[in-house]
Amino acid sequence: MDMPIAQINEAMPKLDISLMRANADNACRMMKTLANRDRLMLLCQLSQGEKRVGELEEATNIQQPTLSQQLAVLREENVVSTRRDGKHIYYKISSPIAMSVMELLYATYCGK
């Protein structure tokens, strides 16, 4: 038994427009961060697990200094985090939202 749209709308809580605007701003910021081919390629690799900088360079064929610049953007936006082990720096996706988006993109574009 389907409920008419008017009843569904009445049953739903009213959205706080300022909260909605803030959430939209956050979503726009995330999408802007992801809307770059090099960053998407890096995140695609990282969606499969933590990687060293050298591994990312080899897997994506993104050369320095572009690699460092794009990783810096991802760090600044809190999409990835790092850990150091001796001379090596490892990256991983630290944003659950970014990981969810990358899982969808991976399944859609890389899984085929």
Side-chain angles (χ1 to χ4, degrees):
M1 180 175 202
D2 291 332
M3 188 183 301
I5 296 292
Q7 283 182 321
I8 292 172
N9 286 338
E10 287 175 16
M12 293 178 65
K14 297 292 181 204
L15 295 176
D16 176 349
I17 195 69
S18 61
L19 178 60
M20 191 174 173
R21 183 169 279 117
N23 288 338
D25 288 342
N26 290 335
C28 287
R29 187 175 183 147
M30 177 63 74
M31 298 307 289
K32 197 176 207 179
T33 300
L34 299 180
N36 174 281
R37 181 180 56 203
D38 290 338
R39 289 193 292 267
L40 277 176
M41 290 176 63
L42 291 167
L43 290 169
C44 185
Q45 291 297 315
L46 293 172
S47 72
Q48 302 308 297
E50 184 181 68
K51 302 253 189 293
R52 282 185 300 108
V53 172
E55 291 174 306
L56 290 170
E57 186 174 14
E58 186 178 312
T60 62
N61 203 28
I62 300 170
Q63 305 299 311
Q64 297 289 351
T66 303
L67 180 66
S68 292
Q69 291 169 345
Q70 298 309 327
L71 288 170
V73 170
L74 294 171
R75 274 193 322 268
E76 288 169 19
E77 294 299 324
N78 298 311
V79 173
V80 299
S81 60
T82 62
R83 75 172 176 88
R84 182 178 285 277
D85 184 16
K87 292 191 283 183
H88 300 289
I89 298 176
Y90 291 84
Y91 282 82
K92 69 177 182 178
I93 296 176
S94 56
S95 164
I97 295 169
M99 182 59 101
S100 294
V101 171
M102 291 312 300
E103 287 171 350
L104 175 63
L105 291 174
Y106 190 91
T108 303
Y109 294 105
C110 303
K112 293 185 177 188

